[in-house]
Amino acid sequence: MAKNLTGKTVAVLATDGFEQSELTEPRRALMEAGAAVHVVAPHGGTIQGMQHHEKGDKVKVDKTLDQVRAEEYDALVLPGGVANPDALRVDQRAVNFVRAFAKDKKPIGAICHGPWTLIEADAVRGRTVTSWPSLRTDLKNAGAEWVDREVVVDHGLVTSRKPDDLPAFNRKIIEEFGEGRHAA
């Protein structure tokens, strides 16, 4: 894979309950493309991954939300898992972090239940997105146009539905993160 993300720094925002493959596979792909990737979480130490309904591996937290600012990053990844974005969307630090990326038109990748945090940050209004099907009504109510596709790109916002979509999601986040900021 080409190193087209050399010099870029990407935040992966997650907490306990993230869907393991939706964090580890994008992180691996981004690092292989040359990006520096930091796992950012509300607390330090480790966060608990899930493999659907079963506990998965723990992942080391590189930085806490109290230690970072969106200005330090070129792009953001929001993995899914049900508990992960549900916890993040009620943490004002996480919402403000996500909102700052959207406001600055920095590229964002969100998969599965990850768009829940985008809703709370008011980052989907007027955008075309996809997600896990159960988020469809939430996204529509937040002003998004929801479509059922493997991957959707809307001015630097990359969304996918589920772990099966990870190959397409990873290709698109690398492409969009390489392009940088996008005009809305």
Side-chain angles (χ1 to χ4, degrees):
M1 181 171 289
K3 298 283 187 183
N4 61 333
L5 296 182
T6 301
K8 303 270 188 184
T9 305
V10 178
V12 178
L13 177 60
T15 193
D16 296 308
F18 67 89
E19 181 65 36
Q20 185 170 314
S21 63
E22 294 172 359
L23 184 151
T24 59
E25 290 187 31
R27 179 179 63 177
R28 178 193 47 75
L30 291 163
M31 290 170 63
E32 286 176 359
V37 181
H38 298 158
V39 174
V40 176
H43 61 82
T46 60
I47 52 177
Q48 179 65 57
M50 299 295 290
Q51 294 178 347
H52 305 292
H53 299 292
E54 304 299 321
K55 280 190 176 181
D57 297 333
K58 291 186 177 189
V59 169
K60 180 184 175 294
V61 172
D62 297 308
K63 299 198 178 226
T64 67
L65 279 166
D66 293 328
Q67 296 172 316
V68 297
R69 294 186 345 255
E71 297 80 32
E72 300 167 335
Y73 294 94
D74 299 294
L76 174 67
V77 174
L78 297 169
V82 177
N84 166 52
D86 197 46
L88 291 175
R89 68 184 178 156
V90 297
D91 184 324
Q92 198 57 50
R93 298 169 304 163
V95 173
N96 290 341
F97 189 65
V98 172
R99 186 177 292 129
F101 280 89
K103 181 180 175 224
D104 291 343
K105 298 175 178 44
K106 291 183 179 181
I108 299 171
I111 186 165
C112 198
H113 289 79
W116 257 343
T117 314
L118 292 172
I119 291 168
E120 199 65 34
D122 195 25
V124 296
R125 188 176 315 281
R127 308 298 285 276
T128 301
V129 298
T130 195
S131 68
W132 186 253
S134 65
L135 274 66
R136 177 181 58 234
T137 300
D138 294 341
L139 286 159
K140 286 180 175 182
N141 288 342
E145 178 185 343
W146 188 89
V147 295
D148 184 12
R149 281 191 237 142
E150 178 180 56
V151 65
V152 174
V153 179
D154 185 331
H155 299 287
L157 176 58
V158 180
T159 52
S160 282
R161 304 168 299 186
K162 57 189 174 184
D164 289 346
D165 298 340
L166 278 164
F169 179 75
N170 290 343
R171 281 191 301 275
K172 281 300 182 183
I173 61 172
I174 290 168
E175 179 183 327
E176 295 297 309
F177 292 7
E179 291 175 7
R181 293 176 195 247
H182 287 67

